[in-house]
Amino acid sequence: MNNITAYRRPVIFVTIIISLFALAANPSPKKRHPVKMKAGPAAVVEMTNTLKFTPDTVRITKGQTVKWNNTSLLAHSVTADPDKSILEGSVMLPKGADSFDSGMLDPKQTFTHTFNTAGSYQYFCIPHEGAKMYGWVIVSER
């Protein structure tokens, strides 16, 4: 073995070790793609066994969504449709707002609604309207 070969082996070995450390410390950058996350609801309301919406009043801004969870053992609805009310004063909608109705929600079912018109909304539960199971959503412009 000559002097040049004896000199090259340790240099090559050290170069390989340094390269491995450099790669481990700074791995090649991976192409990253931004992930668009859908925003969650601005407010969550529970429908209870005590025939209440909890909380009974939520405040949001225009364009935000409210989610209702039926945490009760009973079926409930989330209804803001004057045509489906039997009692006067169960529903209030801002001028120009569309009515909405979840239909009957069995236990553990959910309903979401996005509010695109500012103002005060009063809604009720169809089977418990007589018990005055009412809720309110107050929607501000900003």
Side-chain angles (χ1 to χ4, degrees):
M1 182 184 322
N2 63 28
N3 286 343
I4 294 175
T5 305
Y7 171 76
R8 282 187 181 169
R9 282 188 184 162
V11 169
I12 292 172
F13 178 74
V14 170
T15 303
I16 291 171
I17 296 298
I18 291 172
S19 298
L20 289 174
F21 278 115
L23 284 174
N26 189 13
S28 62
K30 293 181 180 177
K31 199 173 202 179
R32 297 182 190 260
H33 300 283
V35 176
K36 291 184 179 179
M37 302 285 290
K38 186 176 180 180
V44 176
V45 177
E46 292 187 351
M47 296 169 269
T48 70
N49 285 322
T50 58
L51 309 183
K52 303 236 182 270
F53 291 103
T54 305
D56 65 356
T57 304
V58 295
R59 295 177 184 278
I60 62 171
T61 57
K62 187 173 159 182
Q64 289 185 316
T65 299
V66 175
K67 179 179 181 181
W68 287 266
N69 295 325
N70 187 354
T71 59
S72 165
L73 298 173
L74 308 169
H76 292 291
S77 75
V78 179
T79 306
D81 185 341
D83 294 336
K84 295 185 179 180
S85 170
I86 58 171
L87 299 177
E88 190 173 326
S90 294
V91 177
M92 180 175 60
L93 295 169
K95 185 175 180 174
D98 292 329
S99 61
F100 59 90
D101 179 25
S102 65
M104 292 307 295
L105 299 172
D106 289 327
K108 298 184 181 178
Q109 287 187 308
T110 64
F111 172 70
T112 59
H113 182 75
T114 301
F115 292 83
N116 294 312
T117 302
S120 295
Y121 296 74
Q122 181 178 331
Y123 60 92
F124 69 101
C125 173
I126 288 176
H128 305 115
E129 183 180 8
K132 301 211 182 289
M133 186 173 175
Y134 298 156
W136 294 267
V137 178
I138 300 168
V139 182
S140 63
E141 282 291 335
R142 290 279 170 229

